[in-house]
Amino acid sequence: LGTRDGGPAPRLRFLRGVVMLLGYLVMEGCLHVSAQQQHVTDIGGHTSGSLGGLSATVDPRQLSDPLPWRGMPMVSLPTTVTFTPPSTVTFTTPAPPIMQMITTQPALAAVDVRSQLASESDEQVDRVDGEKEVEQEQKQSKNMEKQSTTLAATTTTTTTTTASPPLFLSPQRSAGGELPPKEQVSFVTTSTVHPSATSTRHASTTSSTSPLHTSTTHVHRKTSTDVAPSPPSKLRRGPRRLWRLPVSSEEPGKVFAAARRSGKFMPGKAFAYQSGPLPTNAWWQNFASAADPATLEGSIFQMPYVIMATSWAVHVMQPIMGHRHTQSYSRASGVSLGLQETRSVNGPMAEAWDELSLTLGWRGGGSWPLKVPLVRGSPYITAEYNGTSPRIASEQSLRLHEGTAFIVIDGKLQVCNDHTGLQGRVFSFDLMEPGSTWFVFAPDSPDANLTWRCQSSPFSLSATHPIHGAVRVALTNDCTTSSGSKHCEGSLNGENSSEYSKLLVQHAGIYPRSAEIDFSVDGNKGIVTWRWGVGILGGWQRRPLLLLAWPVHVPLFSAMDRGTIVSSAATPFRDVRGATMAVAADTWQMHYDLFPDVGLRSPRPIDERFRHRILQTLRGPLPALWNGALPDREFELPLMYELGVGDTYFSGQMVARLARLVSIAGELGESEEPYFADMVERLSLRVAAWLKMDSNTPFIYDKTWGGIISCGCYLGDCEGGCEPRCKNDQNASSSPEKCPAMNDAGLNFGNGVYNGHHFHYGYWIYAAAVLAKYNPKWERTWHHQILALVRDYANPSREDPSFPVVRHKDWFLGFSWADGLLTASANGANQESMSEAVNAYYAIYAYGAALEGKVDFADDLKDFGRIWMAMEAHGAETYWHVRHKSQVYTNSDFPHHMVGIFSDHAATQVSGRHDYEASGVHLLPFTPAAEEYLKKADWVQEHFKVYKETCAKEAECANSWQWSLCLEQAVLDQSLALQCLDALPLDAFSTSNAAACGNSMTSSLYWVATRPAA
């Protein structure tokens, strides 16, 4: 059938006809759906359903549980359920009394069968030949839409659930080693988030008898993972969905030497039940890297809570703000949610994860007695129990009322003592010392006769017997009785948290368990869509998901999406990422302005006034300020980098510098000149010296974690008497286990432990993009090596068995984390150079653009690069670029208008650096992508002024970073920027200048010449 990285994709036009036939069968009531992935499971009791006239009741004890591979475990029902119209499903559940704060549940919306039948089939059809064929298919599609609209408007079926523990509704997952299809017609209940075929969830490979596993009912046609559906992007109207398929099926161990680790930097207990590529830079990497997760170094910033996982529970803590840019947290002020009995339980472990969630698991008796899905942005923390007894506890005591400890249950005061069995579903309590108020939400299970025992000092609330279901906790006020405390300044007090408390109770019945992300592009607009798989507390009503948004999210919402913000309910959460807002919605969409699809060029043409000057600097006779009077066409890497000896960071910068010169020369029409061919040949040889398997510093595939690392190089000191060489084992290609990077975290800026791979490899991928355009034969020779580097930090697909998904990206915040396997610290993960992160994803775009029309994945790859670049730039704009009146930080926090390093719990300047260095690091490199990073002139104006002042105070700045100041000035004034460049010293772009070795005079003039005219 062909692969994405090889031959052409198969034509799939016949699938449209199949989909239309299926639609006809649905309307005729003849479609039979296997219930092997039955959607509705009510844990702890029987499942009953009435679907289109067919009723079925299944005992959960009869359910089989196949071994999951790359998704959440699924249940299989030993029956076939026939679906006949009507096909829209709603739920009705027992509605016990509820507190007055809960409003009446609104009617549930109907499933849009039209979108499932029409749009899904559209996206699977290959490019069609001829305008007439397109028109004919569009007419057929319109007819189907009309028929499906009629069907969706006239169908009403009800499924009634009868048992009380939680109902789990999941996005599509894969099971038993079967990858999710990329084309499906889904018949889903209105209680679930619509499933997507573009994302699966990494889950434990162990079997389980837990009845908590469910899946989505759908009908699908399988698509091979090697097939690249090629939607008619040039003919389609509206957004084009990006397919999250592997960009290559080539095993990286065939193009680079492969090795397994031993000794240092091995996966810890967190991954005890996992296989396949493992995350190295995830937002929860602290937990995976710490020797003991029950420490500050092992904590997880779930947002809004800081989570510490112990052998029996998760400890839930509220961040406490010190200044606007630092926060702390204390175990003594939080609450624990976990188990009463822990003798036979082993954990915590990473049971499953996806882009927006991590499920912690505690294992015992061949199953998972406790799971805690940590979902970014959830104001609740939820624990799922499988035949175990819940316990909520704190190191603090309850606040006394007239000498007696009380707890509020369903709105009524109850005495808390160790002798009374308490019943209810909404528990609220005040802790004395931290002055906080917490909620506990329990399943409403009258048949189970669930009771709780309350202890006041230290506080605990324990179930009297095991349950199969979920329990949730949530902070409603952090300053109930401590409004005078420092961390309570500007926070809610006990009286005005009522609206938020009501909101928590109203939406407590549904909780997120997993998530998925879809991407689509419409011209220069990118849309990132988040959906969640959910569970429902037994006996509770289904309402929209309640999540929290931060300042990085809200500006990306459309006007319609902003209507889901509950502005009347102020939350108690503010942290280093800003104040939060409550959002009630099952789906989020973030809208980004994308970098224009202009290939390797700038979005604007070269100003003709600068053309002659650029050519003189490139060709000669003008010196290019790098090696005496030599022009830039003579640029050459230092000998060690020519030979493939050394680090991948500075060598990458210089290779990309040469590639940039080639690209500019090509744009200037110089591709027929002899010197141009010489430059292309030189670039081809220099990149190949590093990509070949027997390189002096070879790349190797790390089979333990799933990534490409540099072998590392201890430079031999021969004092100029020999060629540069590595004095470590010269047979690294045949014995990669001996590579020094496998055990030396300080080598090559931590490349061997996955620090900053996107910084390093972004330069190499950009060079490959230029060669793909100007030396396509070379690119075809090294195609799989290049794709291995692409997949290392920018793999879009969880179906890739060799690499994790977009290694560095924090999808919730949009930007990346540079830290790798050494992340375990109380301050958490961090990233410094945002401009290089933007450049890394620009390189992905550039490579896709250079291959457009040559390989099937090119369109998707370039648009992935554009979206990820926009996400990174927006993160920088929110958290690194400080304005006089910024929403998060102000210039009083950062007088230089730039955050140096942003981490989990602090935004700081870089210790040991000069102020001008901190600014310069956040500006390089200047490629067309810098336009995204510097497009807000108001911030550039504020930052440039201070940068210029600090640089003028230090003579060393003129010798190292002055060039970046000139190029930032070009955003404001081309003429003054040119004068600034003319004043640079003669060695400003010398390869010995670490600050400028990745830039050139030609590239600098090109940047000035492509700025908007003043």
Side-chain angles (χ1 to χ4, degrees):
L1 292 177
T3 61
R4 299 203 71 174
D5 55 326
R11 296 193 177 277
L12 301 174
R13 290 195 302 272
F14 71 95
L15 291 179
R16 185 184 296 261
V18 175
V19 171
M20 291 180 178
L21 176 60
L22 288 175
Y24 174 79
L25 292 176
V26 170
M27 290 182 285
E28 291 298 317
C30 298
L31 181 61
H32 296 265
V33 182
S34 169
Q36 185 170 355
Q37 292 181 319
Q38 173 65 22
H39 185 81
V40 181
T41 302
D42 206 358
I43 306 308
H46 289 70
T47 298
S48 64
S50 176
L51 301 172
L54 174 68
S55 297
T57 300
V58 181
D59 189 333
R61 293 171 294 181
Q62 299 176 355
L63 304 182
S64 62
D65 189 11
L67 296 179
W69 178 50
R70 304 183 73 64
M72 289 295 292
M74 306 266 194
V75 294
S76 299
L77 287 123
T79 184
T80 297
V81 178
T82 302
F83 288 70
T84 57
S87 63
T88 300
V89 182
T90 57
F91 287 93
T92 58
T93 57
I98 193 168
M99 295 176 65
Q100 295 180 355
M101 289 183 285
I102 299 180
T103 61
T104 303
Q105 168 68 15
L108 299 173
V111 175
D112 188 351
V113 180
R114 174 190 57 195
S115 63
Q116 295 294 332
L117 292 176
S119 66
E120 286 290 321
S121 60
D122 252 1
E123 291 177 351
Q124 286 294 330
V125 180
D126 196 7
R127 288 183 175 88
V128 294
D129 298 325
E131 293 294 333
K132 293 182 179 179
E133 189 171 358
V134 174
E135 293 176 1
Q136 182 179 1
E137 291 183 354
Q138 287 177 343
K139 291 179 180 179
Q140 294 174 345
S141 179
K142 290 180 179 179
N143 292 334
M144 269 303 301
E145 289 181 4
K146 293 179 180 179
Q147 295 170 345
S148 300
T149 304
T150 303
L151 172 64
T154 60
T155 57
T156 56
T157 298
T158 300
T159 294
T160 304
T161 60
T162 57
S164 55
L167 178 68
F168 290 168
L169 308 171
S170 307
Q172 178 187 335
R173 310 258 176 80
S174 59
E178 180 178 302
L179 296 173
K182 288 295 169 257
E183 184 184 39
Q184 65 175 6
V185 181
S186 297
F187 295 86
V188 298
T189 68
T190 53
S191 290
T192 186
V193 180
H194 289 169
S196 168
T198 61
S199 175
T200 60
R201 195 165 193 248
H202 194 296
S204 168
T205 58
T206 61
S207 62
S208 172
T209 58
S210 169
L212 302 181
H213 303 153
T214 61
S215 61
T216 303
T217 300
H218 60 277
V219 184
H220 65 82
R221 291 184 292 278
K222 295 180 181 179
T223 302
S224 167
T225 58
D226 283 335
V227 175
S230 203
S233 57
K234 294 184 179 180
L235 299 175
R236 179 185 290 114
R237 300 295 183 263
R240 182 181 74 88
R241 184 181 181 181
L242 307 188
W243 297 103
R244 297 186 62 180
L245 297 176
V247 297
S248 175
S249 58
E250 185 75 11
E251 294 181 19
K254 292 183 177 180
V255 297
F256 296 124
R260 288 197 179 275
R261 293 178 183 258
S262 61
K264 291 184 178 181
F265 312 120
M266 293 288 291
K269 179 182 176 181
F271 296 120
Y273 286 86
Q274 299 294 347
S275 62
L278 301 174
T280 56
N281 304 73
W283 55 272
W284 47 273
Q285 205 69 44
N286 250 18
F287 163 76
S289 299
D292 181 3
T295 60
L296 296 181
E297 291 75 18
S299 63
I300 303 170
F301 191 16
Q302 170 263 347
M303 294 181 66
Y305 301 106
V306 179
I307 304 296
M308 188 183 298
T310 71
S311 61
W312 66 275
V314 289
H315 198 73
V316 185
M317 299 168 284
Q318 155 75 330
I320 300 172
M321 294 296 293
H323 300 89
R324 288 170 60 91
H325 53 89
T326 60
Q327 67 187 31
S328 61
Y329 48 97
S330 170
R331 178 167 182 157
S333 62
V335 299
S336 295
L337 174 64
L339 300 168
Q340 295 187 50
E341 179 60 53
T342 62
R343 287 180 296 180
S344 59
V345 174
N346 183 24
M349 289 173 275
E351 191 273 336
W353 61 85
D354 53 46
E355 288 90 336
L356 297 173
S357 74
L358 163 70
T359 297
L360 300 177
W362 286 255
R363 190 158 182 81
S367 66
W368 298 93
L370 175 65
K371 293 184 185 180
V372 178
L374 300 178
V375 179
R376 304 301 293 280
S378 174
Y380 314 82
I381 298 297
T382 307
E384 298 174 348
Y385 296 88
N386 181 20
T388 47
S389 301
R391 182 172 185 262
I392 299 95
S394 174
E395 297 178 11
Q396 301 299 320
S397 301
L398 289 183
R399 181 162 59 97
L400 301 180
H401 179 70
E402 296 181 354
T404 303
F406 288 95
I407 187 171
V408 179
I409 304 176
D410 294 339
K412 298 180 180 179
L413 280 176
Q414 298 280 348
V415 175
C416 176
N417 58 56
D418 203 31
H419 307 291
T420 304
L422 305 174
Q423 283 190 309
R425 66 177 192 167
V426 180
F427 299 75
S428 124
F429 55 90
D430 297 339
L431 295 179
M432 183 173 292
E433 186 172 321
S436 57
T437 300
W438 293 80
F439 275 145
V440 175
F441 303 99
D444 191 5
S445 184
D447 295 337
N449 195 31
L450 178 61
T451 59
W452 300 79
R453 185 169 56 250
C454 181
Q455 177 180 299
S456 63
S457 184
F459 170 73
S460 68
L461 184 67
S462 306
T464 57
H465 60 76
I467 68 170
H468 290 276
V471 174
R472 314 189 76 187
V473 299
L475 176 73
T476 182
N477 196 342
D478 196 31
C479 296
T480 312
T481 59
S482 304
S483 57
S485 300
K486 182 178 180 180
H487 78 274
C488 293
E489 293 177 3
S491 300
L492 300 172
N493 57 42
E495 298 107 57
N496 63 11
S497 65
S498 59
E499 288 301 315
Y500 182 65
S501 298
K502 291 178 183 178
L503 196 66
L504 285 174
V505 175
Q506 289 169 1
H507 294 268
I510 181 170
Y511 63 93
R513 305 182 72 240
S514 60
E516 60 186 19
I517 301 179
D518 279 338
F519 303 92
S520 58
V521 169
D522 189 0
N524 290 330
K525 300 290 183 180
I527 302 172
V528 180
T529 302
W530 297 351
R531 300 181 179 92
W532 292 268
V534 303
I536 298 178
L537 261 62
W540 285 73
Q541 289 181 312
R542 166 70 158 90
R543 297 183 68 87
L545 277 174
L546 182 66
L547 297 163
L548 301 181
W550 273 255
V552 73
H553 303 127
V554 176
L556 302 173
F557 288 176
S558 66
M560 180 181 298
D561 291 334
R562 291 182 186 182
T564 64
I565 298 174
V566 188
S567 56
S568 61
T571 79
F573 299 105
R574 181 185 176 86
D575 52 49
V576 292
R577 285 90 187 260
T580 64
M581 303 183 74
V583 178
D586 289 334
T587 301
W588 286 20
Q589 280 195 340
M590 271 65 66
H591 299 257
Y592 293 90
D593 292 327
L594 302 183
F595 182 77
D597 186 7
V598 292
L600 300 176
R601 297 169 177 260
S602 171
R604 279 169 300 280
I606 297 171
D607 189 328
E608 289 299 321
R609 295 175 298 169
F610 293 86
R611 175 180 288 270
H612 184 64
R613 171 73 182 274
I614 296 173
L615 283 172
Q616 285 187 315
T617 305
L618 175 64
R619 296 186 305 199
L622 292 181
L625 308 185
W626 72 275
N627 189 357
L630 291 179
D632 268 334
R633 69 183 177 91
E634 302 288 346
F635 174 73
E636 179 59 286
L637 279 66
L639 182 59
M640 60 181 291
Y641 293 147
E642 282 187 49
L643 300 174
V645 174
D647 67 277
T648 55
Y649 178 69
F650 285 119
S651 61
Q653 283 191 328
M654 293 188 209
V655 162
R657 170 178 174 171
L658 178 55
R660 191 85 196 100
L661 292 171
V662 170
S663 179
I664 293 171
E667 186 174 344
L668 288 168
E670 298 287 287
S671 59
E672 300 300 321
E673 297 295 325
Y675 82 85
F676 183 84
D678 291 342
M679 291 174 65
V680 172
E681 179 64 16
R682 195 182 319 140
L683 178 62
S684 302
L685 292 173
R686 301 302 170 253
V687 178
W690 290 80
L691 294 181
K692 61 184 182 179
M693 192 173 287
D694 61 348
S695 169
N696 284 308
T697 313
F699 290 108
I700 63 173
Y701 177 65
D702 177 4
K703 298 168 69 175
T704 300
W705 290 95
I708 303 296
I709 64 173
S710 171
C711 179
C713 179
Y714 294 129
L715 284 172
D717 184 9
C718 54
E719 298 180 355
C722 64
E723 283 190 347
R725 62 183 179 84
C726 300
K727 64 182 180 181
N728 45 281
D729 190 347
Q730 296 299 299
N731 297 316
S733 59
S734 59
S735 302
E737 293 83 1
K738 297 181 181 180
C739 284
M742 298 288 273
N743 294 293
D744 188 346
L747 194 62
N748 194 13
F749 303 96
N751 177 278
V753 290
Y754 296 95
N755 284 2
H757 275 206
H758 56 328
F759 296 159
H760 292 226
Y761 299 162
Y763 290 114
W764 293 94
I765 299 304
Y766 175 78
V770 173
L771 286 172
K773 180 173 182 179
Y774 293 107
N775 191 357
K777 182 178 178 180
W778 180 95
E779 193 279 334
R780 288 192 295 271
T781 300
W782 298 100
H783 181 71
H784 291 299
Q785 287 84 349
I786 299 165
L787 284 181
L789 293 180
V790 168
R791 293 158 70 192
D792 175 82
Y793 78 89
N795 164 41
S797 175
R798 193 171 288 281
E799 296 173 23
D800 191 322
S802 302
F803 298 92
V805 175
V806 196
R807 184 180 304 279
H808 295 273
K809 192 65 106 171
D810 185 323
W811 300 102
F812 189 69
L813 293 169
F815 56 79
S816 300
W817 295 116
D819 272 4
L821 300 180
L822 295 182
T823 305
S825 67
N827 230 18
N830 71 72
Q831 177 158 275
E832 181 181 6
S833 181
M834 284 298 291
S835 52
E836 286 185 294
V838 170
N839 180 70
Y841 301 113
Y842 167 68
I844 299 300
Y845 159 73
Y847 186 57
L851 293 179
E852 189 171 14
K854 301 175 183 178
V855 295
D856 291 328
F857 64 78
D859 282 347
D860 284 351
L861 191 65
K862 72 175 186 176
D863 282 337
F864 277 132
R866 291 206 294 162
I867 291 178
W868 299 339
M869 177 173 34
M871 295 172 72
E872 207 76 24
H874 179 69
E877 179 67 20
T878 305
Y879 293 119
W880 275 261
H881 293 177
V882 180
R883 291 171 170 78
H884 178 63
K885 293 183 178 180
S886 294
Q887 186 176 0
V888 183
Y889 313 119
T890 67
N891 62 323
S892 61
D893 303 312
F894 296 92
H896 303 292
H897 296 275
M898 179 77 80
V899 169
I901 291 184
F902 193 80
S903 65
D904 269 341
H905 302 293
T908 62
Q909 295 288 12
V910 184
S911 61
R913 286 192 188 273
H914 295 287
D915 293 331
Y916 64 81
E917 289 179 305
S919 290
V921 165
H922 282 282
L923 291 175
L924 60 84
F926 275 87
T927 67
E931 182 125 343
E932 284 293 288
Y933 186 71
L934 298 173
K935 62 184 176 183
K936 297 296 179 71
D938 62 329
W939 175 79
V940 173
Q941 184 82 47
E942 293 185 26
H943 175 260
F944 171 76
K945 179 181 178 181
V946 178
Y947 187 17
K948 183 178 181 180
E949 292 172 354
T950 56
C951 192
K953 296 176 183 178
E954 300 282 349
E956 181 57 29
C957 181
N959 297 324
S960 56
W961 291 102
Q962 180 76 26
W963 65 273
S964 65
L965 180 67
C966 300
L967 300 193
E968 185 180 29
Q969 187 172 28
V971 178
L972 306 172
D973 192 307
Q974 283 179 303
S975 298
L976 292 179
L978 186 60
Q979 294 176 25
C980 181
L981 288 175
D982 287 337
L984 292 176
L986 292 177
D987 61 348
F989 299 107
S990 167
T991 57
S992 62
N993 180 1
C997 64
N999 195 32
S1000 67
M1001 188 62 169
T1002 296
S1003 182
S1004 298
L1005 291 169
Y1006 177 93
W1007 170 263
V1008 175
T1010 53
R1011 296 309 88 212

